[in-house]
Amino acid sequence: MAMKKLLNKPEDIASELLSGLVKSHSDLIKMVDNDLLVRKMPKLEGKVPIVFGQGIGHEPAFDGMIGYGMHDVEVPGNIFSCAGGDRIYAGIKYAWELSGKTPVLLIISNHEGDVINANIALEMAEDDDIDVKSVLLYDDIASAPKGEEENRRGMAGMIFGFKAAGAMAELGYDRDEIIAKVEKINATTRTLSVAVSPATIPTSGQVLFNLKEDEIIIGPGVHGEAGPEGPMKLSTANEIIEIVADRVVEDGEFQSGDEVLVLLNGNGATTLMELFIMYNHLEDLLKDKGLKAFKPLIGNYVTVQEMAGFSLSMCKADENTKQFWTAKTVTPYFKVFGS
Amino acid sequence: MAMKKLLNKPEDIASELLSGLVKSHSDLIKMVDNDLLVRKMPKLEGKVPIVFGQGIGHEPAFDGMIGYGMHDVEVPGNIFSCAGGDRIYAGIKYAWELSGKTPVLLIISNHEGDVINANIALEMAEDDDIDVKSVLLYDDIASAPKGEEENRRGMAGMIFGFKAAGAMAELGYDRDEIIAKVEKINATTRTLSVAVSPATIPTSGQVLFNLKEDEIIIGPGVHGEAGPEGPMKLSTANEIIEIVADRVVEDGEFQSGDEVLVLLNGNGATTLMELFIMYNHLEDLLKDKGLKAFKPLIGNYVTVQEMAGFSLSMCKADENTKQFWTAKTVTPYFKVFGS
């Protein structure tokens, strides 16, 4: 299937996308030198600035989540590819200087390119005596077995960590406290994705994978990386969410009595209608396991272009985690709970 | 192309969809007798309650837009079909009684079934001495020529009227003031939609229309009603948004110097990436015409299942309109501007 999208020249996709995002939210974000996306109104000096670098093409993640209570500096790469180490370094330096030399937190999504470039940036910052530490996020249970969690990919569940980090920074926690909490949240975060139809790389039109009309894939990555098991037959919404929920709960060792954060994320072309239909059953499944969903988030947050499908993310929610989850955010696209 | 969706039984789609919406936002909305969706925390007595009835399947419109600053009572129909007159009447009666017999406003989207059923409901209410008046919204320039605006369909641009009505009601305006303002906004609201790929009716799997790989349709309706012109060739994002913007601006007689509200709405499977790329050019086009976009809204608000494409809506924005547009809302899915 050829790509059928509303685009101009492939080589302009990244710049036009970011320019359109900034133009349409010029009250909240701006672009500064070296194509860094930053908050229009910076965080107060002395509060930990948060830097994140990632490929684009997953909108609204994560270029649409800059602002009060989330990221301060976003270093956009190209479509599906991370920014280079020198640009991530530039993002760290910008945050360091703007914040009056407040210790900087760099968040890294666990993908090979992201980690390599983040390490280059961290070395450059060290050479310049910039005080920056990083925290690595990973949550995709399909990408490495239990016991090898640190080899898992960063997926939609990273939002739990982002949200806590952003909230804690606004509240004035210091960097080590933020890192400790985010690592604790990450340790209980689990995500599993399902692809119902494939996506294309917009710059090339290349289809990421093929799927028969009666097949789905459990466990694809956010760039269409194949799942570990190959295709399975499409069945009902209830059966599929049950498979996914069972695996997430088992891998995460969620226990009866736990309160959990739940993100039911649309991968792109799946309707909110379908997500609601699955959530309708998911809540019952969780109840049967003695789990209570706290302020679930349902919608398209981390997308893979026009891929149909979804991912389920969960993490354990203690009182602090719940407080940070519902703390105020002012960003173009991160949902504000009841405010 | 067969339908490939995450569903259970076709006959359960509507009830499961609404149940999932309510379960996932139980802090904001609830379902009461006769399957009415209502605010969890009702509006203060004496403030005009707003009732709306519509088909579902366009999520997050409009079942996801109930709450402070938007609708009070939503009467969901079935997929793509309006609720019956008796159920809309039940919604009006609920609002009337809950509000301490405050004059009720019924908003009607201009589609044949919606109007017929609304009229039945209004007659039933009159028989019961319930004080209700209605306002009719229409904005789709593809569905009737200039000069016959009252024959046009209600599309995504209705959100401008909804938002003003909801904000004014919270601020304590009386019903006639609200109707006058909403009618004034509606008179300057124009929408034009583009379909890039077809959608299916989820209950039957029936494809709404077919499109070749190099074709798009200008002017389809929200249930896949064909545009007036038949298919045209797919071209670049910039060319397509230019065609659409030119027609909207010409039909709406927007003048150099006008400030405008702008909604660039995704129809379903179109990525935010594409919407940003189009907005990037749209803002330049509007500037060339001397028009200034105030707090543009970009995202999937009124969808047509998995249809790819978008709609552009605009209305003139005076000071009041701008105030109401950015007024506080607390709903599951209506965007909160910078708060």
Side-chain angles (χ1 to χ4, degrees):
Chain A
M1 192 169 68
M3 180 174 56
K4 193 177 185 187
K5 283 191 180 159
L6 299 164
L7 301 171
N8 298 304
K9 291 182 192 162
E11 61 269 31
D12 294 336
I13 290 177
S15 63
E16 290 178 349
L17 149 59
L18 295 171
S19 174
L21 170 66
V22 172
K23 281 182 182 171
S24 54
H25 297 85
S26 57
D27 52 339
L28 295 177
I29 57 174
K30 63 181 179 178
M31 188 171 273
V32 295
D33 3 313
N34 217 337
D35 289 352
L36 305 173
L37 290 170
V38 303
R39 289 165 56 160
K40 185 73 168 273
M41 180 163 319
K43 192 178 257 168
L44 294 179
E45 279 196 16
K47 296 192 169 184
V48 175
I50 297 172
V51 180
F52 185 64
Q54 233 227 356
I56 58 176
H58 303 292
E59 285 64 38
F62 287 98
D63 42 35
M65 301 186 191
I66 302 157
Y68 184 97
M70 291 287 273
H71 303 321
D72 295 282
V73 177
E74 171 82 15
V75 189
N78 212 319
I79 298 288
F80 291 178
S81 70
C82 184
D86 57 329
R87 293 196 49 243
I88 298 174
Y89 162 75
I92 293 167
K93 189 171 179 220
Y94 181 91
W96 171 249
E97 289 173 356
L98 191 71
S99 66
K101 304 199 172 179
T102 306
V104 175
L105 176 62
L106 175 69
I107 303 185
I108 308 171
S109 168
N110 198 22
H111 291 264
E112 194 178 358
D114 298 57
V115 173
I116 290 170
N117 285 294
N119 285 335
I120 293 169
L122 291 169
E123 279 180 28
M124 290 173 73
E126 196 182 339
D127 291 345
D128 274 358
D129 295 321
I130 295 174
D131 181 6
V132 55
K133 285 188 184 175
S134 66
V135 62
L136 185 69
L137 299 184
Y138 43 81
D139 53 320
D140 177 18
I141 66 172
S143 54
K146 199 165 165 60
E148 298 174 24
E149 282 81 2
E150 72 285 359
N151 294 325
R152 290 176 169 177
R153 295 180 289 229
M155 296 270 282
M158 294 194 298
I159 287 178
F160 301 142
F162 290 151
K163 189 69 178 64
M168 291 178 79
E170 300 294 352
L171 289 166
Y173 284 83
D174 73 28
R175 187 180 57 190
D176 285 345
E177 292 172 309
I178 296 172
I179 290 175
K181 179 67 184 173
V182 170
E183 286 183 339
K184 190 179 165 197
I185 288 175
N186 186 66
T188 80
T189 298
R190 298 294 184 275
T191 293
L192 184 59
S193 183
V194 170
V196 171
S197 70
T200 47
I201 301 174
T203 39
S204 66
Q206 187 193 332
V207 176
L208 286 165
F209 53 87
N210 287 298
L211 261 180
K212 292 185 188 153
E213 272 306 311
D214 62 345
E215 287 180 349
I216 63 171
I217 290 177
I218 305 263
V222 289
H223 312 110
E225 299 92 337
E229 302 166 27
M232 62 170 268
K233 291 286 174 201
L234 175 67
S235 57
T236 66
N238 284 1
E239 285 166 342
I240 293 168
I241 190 68
E242 196 159 337
I243 291 169
V244 171
D246 280 350
R247 294 197 193 178
V248 165
V249 170
E250 188 188 349
D251 192 284
E253 299 178 23
F254 297 98
Q255 305 293 332
S256 182
D258 282 348
E259 243 182 313
V260 287
L261 302 187
V262 174
L263 167 57
L264 189 59
N265 174 64
N267 282 338
T270 283
T271 59
L272 263 180
M273 176 188 82
E274 291 161 270
L275 297 180
F276 291 145
I277 287 171
M278 285 189 289
Y279 189 80
N280 180 53
H281 192 53
L282 175 62
E283 196 186 79
D284 295 344
L285 295 171
L286 296 180
K287 267 191 189 156
D288 287 346
K289 296 176 195 291
L291 301 172
K292 190 176 169 213
F294 176 77
K295 299 262 187 191
L297 188 62
I298 300 179
N300 290 341
Y301 290 94
V302 182
T303 64
V304 189
Q305 296 291 314
E306 75 281 19
M307 182 195 283
F310 70 96
S311 62
L312 172 65
S313 301
M314 285 173 48
C315 79
K316 288 180 192 167
D318 60 20
E319 286 310 309
N320 279 339
T321 305
K322 294 194 303 189
Q323 177 199 350
F324 304 144
W325 183 237
T326 55
K328 178 178 171 180
T329 52
V330 187
T331 83
Y333 284 95
F334 190 75
K335 160 150 182 166
V336 182
F337 293 94
S339 67
Chain B
M1 193 169 68
M3 180 174 57
K4 193 176 184 188
K5 284 191 179 158
L6 298 163
L7 301 171
N8 298 304
K9 292 182 192 162
E11 62 269 30
D12 295 335
I13 290 177
S15 63
E16 290 177 348
L17 149 60
L18 295 171
S19 173
L21 169 66
V22 172
K23 281 181 183 171
S24 54
H25 296 85
S26 57
D27 51 340
L28 296 176
I29 58 175
K30 62 181 179 177
M31 189 172 273
V32 293
D33 7 313
N34 217 338
D35 289 351
L36 305 173
L37 290 171
V38 303
R39 289 165 57 161
K40 185 71 168 273
M41 180 163 319
K43 192 179 257 167
L44 295 178
E45 279 195 17
K47 297 193 169 184
V48 174
I50 297 172
V51 180
F52 185 63
Q54 233 226 356
I56 58 177
H58 304 291
E59 284 64 36
F62 288 99
D63 41 36
M65 301 184 191
I66 302 157
Y68 184 95
M70 290 288 273
H71 303 321
D72 296 282
V73 177
E74 171 82 15
V75 189
N78 212 318
I79 298 288
F80 291 179
S81 71
C82 184
D86 56 329
R87 292 195 49 242
I88 298 174
Y89 162 76
I92 294 167
K93 189 171 179 219
Y94 181 90
W96 170 250
E97 289 174 354
L98 191 70
S99 66
K101 304 199 172 176
T102 305
V104 175
L105 177 61
L106 175 69
I107 302 184
I108 308 171
S109 169
N110 198 22
H111 291 264
E112 194 179 358
D114 298 59
V115 173
I116 290 171
N117 285 295
N119 284 334
I120 292 170
L122 291 168
E123 279 180 27
M124 291 174 74
E126 196 183 339
D127 290 346
D128 274 359
D129 295 322
I130 295 174
D131 182 6
V132 55
K133 285 188 184 175
S134 67
V135 62
L136 185 68
L137 298 184
Y138 43 82
D139 52 320
D140 176 17
I141 66 172
S143 54
K146 200 164 163 60
E148 297 175 25
E149 282 81 3
E150 72 285 359
N151 294 326
R152 291 176 168 177
R153 295 180 289 228
M155 297 269 283
M158 294 193 297
I159 287 178
F160 301 143
F162 290 151
K163 190 67 178 63
M168 292 178 78
E170 300 294 354
L171 290 165
Y173 284 81
D174 73 27
R175 188 179 57 190
D176 286 345
E177 293 171 308
I178 296 172
I179 290 175
K181 179 67 183 173
V182 171
E183 286 183 339
K184 192 180 163 195
I185 288 174
N186 186 66
T188 81
T189 298
R190 299 293 184 276
T191 294
L192 184 60
S193 184
V194 170
V196 171
S197 70
T200 47
I201 302 174
T203 39
S204 67
Q206 187 193 332
V207 177
L208 286 166
F209 52 88
N210 286 299
L211 262 180
K212 292 184 187 153
E213 272 306 311
D214 62 345
E215 286 180 350
I216 63 171
I217 290 176
I218 306 262
V222 289
H223 313 110
E225 299 92 337
E229 302 166 27
M232 62 171 268
K233 290 287 173 201
L234 175 66
S235 57
T236 66
N238 285 0
E239 285 166 342
I240 293 168
I241 191 68
E242 197 160 338
I243 290 169
V244 170
D246 280 349
R247 294 197 192 177
V248 164
V249 169
E250 188 189 348
D251 192 286
E253 299 178 23
F254 297 98
Q255 305 293 331
S256 181
D258 282 348
E259 243 182 312
V260 287
L261 302 187
V262 174
L263 167 57
L264 189 59
N265 174 65
N267 282 337
T270 282
T271 58
L272 262 180
M273 176 188 82
E274 292 162 89
L275 298 180
F276 291 145
I277 287 171
M278 286 190 288
Y279 189 80
N280 180 53
H281 193 52
L282 175 62
E283 197 187 79
D284 295 344
L285 294 171
L286 296 180
K287 268 191 188 156
D288 287 347
K289 296 176 195 290
L291 301 171
K292 191 177 168 210
F294 177 77
K295 298 261 186 191
L297 188 61
I298 300 180
N300 290 341
Y301 290 95
V302 182
T303 62
V304 188
Q305 296 291 314
E306 74 281 19
M307 181 194 284
F310 70 95
S311 62
L312 173 65
S313 301
M314 285 173 49
C315 80
K316 288 180 191 167
D318 60 20
E319 287 309 310
N320 278 340
T321 305
K322 293 193 306 189
Q323 178 199 349
F324 304 144
W325 182 237
T326 55
K328 178 179 172 180
T329 51
V330 187
T331 83
Y333 284 94
F334 190 74
K335 158 151 182 164
V336 181
F337 292 95
S339 67

